[in-house]
Each structure stands twice: as C-alpha cells, then as structure tokens.
Amino acid sequence: MKVALAQLNYTIGDFEGNSQKIVEAINKAKTSGADLVVFSELSVTGYYPHDLLEKKEFIHKAELAVNEIARYCTDIAAVVGAPRINIHDRGKNLYNSAFFLAEGKIQSVHNKTLLPTYDIFDEYRHFEPNSTFDVVHYKGEKIAITICEDLWDEQPTANEFGKDKLYNVSPMHELSRFNPDFVVNLSASPFSYNQEGWRKNVLISKARDYKMPILYCNQVGAQTELIFDGGSVFIDEAGEIVKELKYFEEDFMLIDTGNRGEKNVQGETGYIEKIHDALVLGIRDYFRKMEFKQATLGLSGGIDSAVTLVLAVRALGAENVRVLLLPSKYSSDHSVEDARILAENLGIRYDIVNIQTAVDAFEKELTPLFEGRSPDVTEENIQARARGVYMMAISNKFGNILLNTTNKSECAVGYGTLYGDMNGGLAVLGDVYKLDVYKLSRFMNKDREIIPENTIVKPPSAELRPDQKDSDSLPDYEDLDRMLFNYIELNKSPLEITALGFDEAVVRRVIRMVNMNEYKRFQAAPILRISSKAFGFGRKMPLVARY
C-alpha cells in the first residue's frame, strides 16, 4: 500500500488553519498516488489543548472539522487525530482518538489506550483510556492504528527509581492478535536532546518484536514551551529505519509498504545543533502563533544574552530585533564594546542607555531606610531591576516582546533577580545549562565570528559589583552543571551525587539553592523545553517544603 506521512505544524485551536493544512496534504497525497495519508496526534486541534478540552464549543468545532475533512477523502483514505466524546455513562468525557476517513465520511474511530501522566503529559486529566481493539480493513490490507504512547508501554527509565513497564496493558500485543499487515502511529512526541535516541529505539524494538512494519507520523513545530521535532519514520518488520522525514520543519513523504525502495534517512547531527534548531523553531513559532512580530532583550556583553540574541535574529530576522545596552558603573568597557560589536555583526538596531543615574536615584531615596546597614545583594538587585524597567518600557512602547536570557544553571540555583533580569515573555535558555550555552556560541561561530571571542572566553560575571565573578558564589560550571543534571534530570539523592566525587557540603548547598528558589521559577516566563526535565509544568515541586 502507498502511504503518505504528512508531518505538519499545527496551532492549538486554529481549526480553520489546521484543517486547511490537512486538506492540502490530502490533495497532495492524492496527486502523488497515495492510498492512505497519515497525520499526527490531535492534528485537528493541535497538541496539547489542555483545559480547552473542557469547553463544549471547542469539542463541537473539532467534530465539525473532522467531518469537513472527511469530505475530501474520496479516492483516498486518511487518519487524523481529534478528541471524541465518550457516550458511555461512566468515565472521562472524552477519548483521544484517531479517525479513519474514507469515501467522504468517518469509517471508524480508534481511541488511545495509554494516557501518559508524567513530565509534561497530563492526558488522564481529560481522556478516558481505550479498552477495545480492532484493525482497519482497507484495500486488502489490515491496518493497526495506534496513538503515540500506545507504542511506549515499555520504555527506558532515566533513573533507578522508576519502572520500564508503566502500564498494565500492551496495545501492540492486543492488536497483534489480528495479524495486521502494518501499524500506523499518530504521535505528538516533543523534542528532548537527552532522550531523542530513545524514541527510535522504542519504535525499532516494537517493529522487531512483532515483526511488523511501523509508519510513525510525528508533529513538528512549537506550542509555547513544547517543541516537536518531527522526524517521522517508516520502519520495516526487521526494525530497520527505511525512510525518515526532516527534523524541525514540515515534510511530506510517500512510502510503498510493499516496495521499500532506496533507504532515505536524515544525516546525523550533534546534540548542540539540534538544541540550536529547536530553540530557533521555538522562538519563531511562539511569535508567529501569538501574532507577535518584534523582540527585544538587554545585551550585556555576556554569553547568555549574546546567544539569545543570535537565536532571536535567526528566528525572526534582524529587522525584527532591537536591543538595549544598559551599562552601569560596574560594567567593563570590554562588555559594552563586545555587545556593540555583536549587534553590528548581526545588523540590528541597538541603543545605549546608562542606568547609573536611575540607580543613584533609587539608592539616594533608600538611604534613610537603609541607615546603618552595609551594601549587599540589595544594591545589586536595584541595578537588575532598573534594567528591567528600561526593557519593559521598550516592550510596552513599541510592542517588542522581551526575551529572557537566563540559563538553566542560573535558573536552578536562583542566580537571578525577580522583576529584574528574570523579566520576559519567553525564556529562551531556561532549559540550557551554562556549559551548553558556551557550546552553542561555538556552533554559531563555526563559519565566521559572530559572537566576539572575548565574550566567550572571559570569566562569567553579572557585573553588579567590583570585580564580580559567578565563581564567587557558585561552584565552577563544570561541577555545577553535572550536579544539577544528576539532581534534576536523573533524580539522584545528595549522597548519590556526592559519590560521583563531589564534596558533600557543596552538593547539599547546591541542592538547597535549587529547592529554595522554586518560588522564583514559579513566577518566571515560560521556558522553551529541550530536555527531559525542564522547569515549568513538566516539573511540579512544592513551593513550601522542608526537603
């Protein structure tokens, strides 16, 4: 059978736009000679709609869209994803469903069995799990239709405190009783640089175990924090990847399940390049889908703002990015010059506004209140908040959305000022550890020097007091990032982290900083997720706890 995989970028709730994309792909598949075209999970609504699924009007529009799309399925069949009302007296109100469309109407509906409720997933909040299994008979073939997690009943665990078998049922085992000729899987699997190999391994394992070809169609594009990387595949019954669609962009491919043809897979790229591409896509889609156009940020001459700026320009274009250089009396001449050179290298508008007059005014008015107390972090934070005022003024006056530049290492330990440098509508680097920020800068400079070398090699500093260095209050980032990864991503205990060769007192101090600053992250901008455990709604921790 000739099957087309349509890997598309949807917008949540844009029924007209999503339906138009789907219909255009159906017509393209017809022209290409396809018998069947497969789309991704919840393609009609976009993934994930969250509590929009509790609105009757939203579900009604989804139903109308599916029926309208079905009208175009003449001389071809399609499988699209959408919510479906549960008509039974008991259970959740909806199913997460795949609709098999042919001959101009809905022929059958196949509900998702395994509903993930870990990390960023919360599907059992809205959906009832499937309990019945069947296959589709079409053009002499038997097709097993599955939805994303239905193939993930067994999966690797990131740490020892976890199970590799999360569910009591295996949809593939149940469907294999019908001896299907191949499996299609509608997926919305988000990108994670430290787990992206797992997905292929799971698919390969299922194909081998059941000796069954798998056609896997993943979503591409970003929905606020979540970034979907595409990479849809056709895997034969021996577990070999025969065809693979592009990453981080829309794609379409026609596959003949009876004639595999030449192997066509994507070239290997390093994880830093993937993170780069994911972040560019995340920024671009956040602005496009929110109907924002222009961005701004404070360019300090440091590595984080430099990398954020390059990503923003690549996502939005130089004409849509404007920055402020906001030096104080503690800013080095090198930092100001590095920031200016970077802005000119990128061809963007920049303005230099010295914040010292504003800082002096704040400090003068606060002097009577602070009488008898020595300067401390309070005065440092006044500088950060003064910068925040200037940045938000530009955002308000000109409609430029402020990008937050805080990296994951700083975000983890609370090394940022609320209502100051933590301001912003989107946190670009909030899931990127400091060492990887440096690696991103080197990747950006691989063809020519865009980010000044001095920005990359100088010791990191907030420049809020004389001769300040990050290392004054934090462990070296080589150690800090490793401790944080083991604690956040791998859920290891202080003793387990200490056993890796770290000083126990330092480990406990770092972990205490992580736990104590949950209240800051709770108020922070949404963070583009590129790892298996990003701050935000995928990591739910109490703000108040003795741990």
Side-chain angles (χ1 to χ4, degrees):
M1 181 177 290
K2 293 182 179 179
V3 182
L5 296 180
Q7 177 178 290
L8 302 177
N9 186 344
Y10 305 102
T11 300
I12 293 172
D14 184 7
F15 294 102
E16 182 179 352
N18 295 341
S19 296
Q20 183 178 346
K21 279 178 174 283
I22 291 169
V23 169
E24 287 174 356
I26 289 171
N27 291 333
K28 182 176 181 178
K30 281 184 188 180
T31 304
S32 302
D35 302 300
L36 171 68
V37 54
V38 180
F39 299 89
S40 61
E41 179 179 11
L42 293 180
S43 45
V44 171
T45 61
Y47 190 97
Y48 187 71
H50 294 291
D51 286 357
L52 288 175
L53 292 166
E54 298 177 5
K55 296 183 178 292
K56 183 178 180 181
E57 181 188 20
F58 187 84
I59 303 304
H60 179 61
K61 287 183 177 180
E63 291 175 335
L64 291 176
V66 172
N67 282 285
E68 178 64 19
I69 292 166
R71 292 180 52 244
Y72 294 88
C73 294
T74 55
D75 303 320
I76 192 173
V79 186
V80 300
R84 174 200 185 200
I85 292 176
N86 175 12
I87 62 172
H88 301 292
D89 293 335
R90 293 181 180 273
K92 300 296 176 67
N93 195 41
L94 301 170
Y95 289 106
N96 181 346
S97 302
F99 292 77
F100 183 77
L101 314 176
E103 298 177 3
K105 61 182 180 180
I106 299 170
Q107 297 293 334
S108 60
V109 184
H110 307 263
N111 303 321
K112 188 173 183 177
T113 304
L114 308 182
L115 303 174
T117 56
Y118 54 84
D119 192 55
I120 51 90
F121 301 107
D122 196 15
E123 291 192 25
Y124 193 65
R125 178 183 177 94
H126 302 106
F127 295 121
E128 180 70 11
N130 170 62
S131 58
T132 62
F133 298 89
D134 201 354
V135 295
V136 168
H137 296 264
Y138 180 66
K139 292 198 171 184
E141 302 270 10
K142 288 186 288 184
I143 307 169
I145 297 177
T146 59
I147 303 175
C148 201
E149 191 83 356
D150 288 347
L151 296 185
W152 285 67
D153 56 289
E154 296 181 51
Q155 54 182 282
T157 56
N159 57 79
E160 294 178 2
F161 188 60
K163 293 184 177 181
D164 59 1
K165 295 179 177 65
L166 298 179
Y167 304 98
N168 294 320
V169 64
S170 169
M172 282 290 285
H173 178 73
E174 298 296 329
L175 290 165
S176 68
R177 302 176 191 272
F178 298 94
N179 297 313
D181 294 291
F182 60 90
V183 179
V184 298
N185 183 265
L186 291 71
S187 186
S189 180
F191 171 70
S192 168
Y193 80 90
N194 60 316
Q195 286 186 344
E196 55 102 14
W198 289 12
R199 186 168 67 201
K200 286 183 181 178
N201 291 338
V202 168
L203 296 172
I204 289 169
S205 175
K206 291 300 180 187
R208 286 176 179 167
D209 291 348
Y210 292 95
K211 297 178 174 56
M212 204 177 299
I214 295 176
L215 292 118
Y216 164 89
C217 187
N218 193 26
Q219 183 174 318
V220 72
Q223 308 288 3
T224 312
E225 300 102 322
L226 293 187
I227 302 168
F228 298 91
D229 57 335
S232 305
V233 291
F234 168 50
I235 301 176
D236 67 17
E237 63 276 10
E240 181 179 359
I241 297 176
V242 181
K243 309 288 185 184
E244 185 177 23
L245 277 68
K246 294 175 182 177
Y247 286 84
F248 303 110
E249 59 182 284
E250 292 187 327
D251 202 3
F252 178 95
M253 184 177 289
L254 183 65
I255 296 159
D256 190 337
T257 61
N259 179 18
R260 51 180 283 172
E262 293 184 5
K263 192 171 182 178
N264 182 6
V265 299
Q266 302 300 313
E268 287 294 322
T269 57
Y271 83 97
I272 289 297
E273 183 173 353
K274 291 173 182 173
I275 290 174
H276 170 276
D277 293 348
L279 294 175
V280 169
L281 177 59
I283 297 168
R284 181 182 296 133
D285 269 7
Y286 183 76
F287 275 71
R288 181 176 64 85
K289 293 178 181 181
M290 291 285 284
E291 297 185 342
F292 298 145
K293 186 176 181 182
Q294 295 180 317
T296 188
L297 57 89
L299 194 61
S300 67
I303 193 68
D304 300 310
S305 62
V307 167
T308 302
L309 175 57
V310 175
L311 291 168
V313 169
R314 291 180 177 181
L316 306 173
E319 69 279 8
N320 290 316
V321 182
R322 175 185 182 178
V323 301
L324 288 185
L325 283 60
L326 298 163
S328 74
K329 65 183 179 182
Y330 299 124
S331 301
S332 67
D333 293 339
H334 262 305
S335 292
V336 177
E337 182 66 6
D338 291 343
R340 185 189 62 77
I341 291 171
L342 174 58
E344 292 177 355
N345 285 347
L346 293 169
I348 64 166
R349 176 177 175 178
Y350 70 94
D351 297 279
I352 301 176
V353 180
N354 194 297
I355 67 167
Q356 197 58 51
T357 301
V359 171
D360 291 343
F362 279 120
E363 292 184 348
K364 178 182 177 182
E365 296 300 321
L366 288 167
T367 295
L369 303 178
F370 293 169
E371 186 177 359
R373 294 181 178 269
S374 300
D376 55 18
V377 71
T378 305
E379 284 73 17
E380 295 180 28
N381 287 343
I382 288 172
Q383 297 170 63
R385 291 188 177 116
R387 290 187 172 107
V389 169
Y390 282 109
M391 294 309 310
M392 289 309 302
I394 292 295
S395 176
N396 293 159
K397 184 63 70 175
F398 301 103
N400 295 32
I401 302 303
L402 177 59
L403 297 178
N404 179 270
T405 66
T406 306
N407 63 64
K408 189 171 188 175
S409 307
E410 295 170 347
C411 189
V413 297
Y415 201 68
T417 303
L418 273 176
Y419 327 121
D421 57 308
M422 289 184 69
N423 286 356
L426 183 69
V428 176
L429 299 179
D431 199 27
V432 183
Y433 286 113
K434 186 76 168 188
L435 293 184
D436 284 337
V437 175
Y438 281 106
K439 292 176 183 177
L440 277 168
S441 70
R442 290 296 184 194
F443 175 76
M444 292 168 171
N445 279 5
K446 64 184 176 63
D447 295 323
R448 66 182 180 93
E449 185 175 293
I450 299 172
I451 298 174
E453 182 68 12
N454 188 62
T455 297
I456 300 173
V457 301
K458 68 183 179 183
S461 170
E463 294 191 334
L464 297 174
R465 64 174 183 265
D467 302 318
Q468 184 181 24
K469 303 284 190 300
D470 288 6
S471 56
D472 297 340
S473 52
L474 297 175
D476 288 340
Y477 283 111
E478 288 81 359
D479 292 336
L480 179 64
D481 286 1
R482 192 173 169 218
M483 284 186 261
L484 292 173
F485 183 85
N486 277 276
Y487 184 63
I488 296 167
E489 273 84 351
L490 301 185
N491 271 322
K492 290 189 176 180
S493 70
L495 290 179
E496 289 174 310
I497 297 171
T498 300
L500 298 174
F502 298 109
D503 179 85
E504 182 178 357
V506 174
V507 169
R508 291 194 179 277
R509 183 170 73 88
V510 166
I511 289 175
R512 185 174 184 276
M513 292 170 77
V514 174
N515 296 341
M516 289 284 290
N517 284 286
E518 195 64 40
Y519 78 100
K520 282 189 177 182
R521 294 187 290 270
F522 190 80
Q523 302 176 66
I527 293 170
L528 292 178
R529 177 190 184 271
I530 54 91
S531 78
S532 61
K533 188 59 68 175
F535 295 124
F537 66 85
R539 186 179 184 270
K540 298 176 182 177
M541 292 291 178
L543 271 66
V544 180
R546 291 184 178 271
Y547 180 71

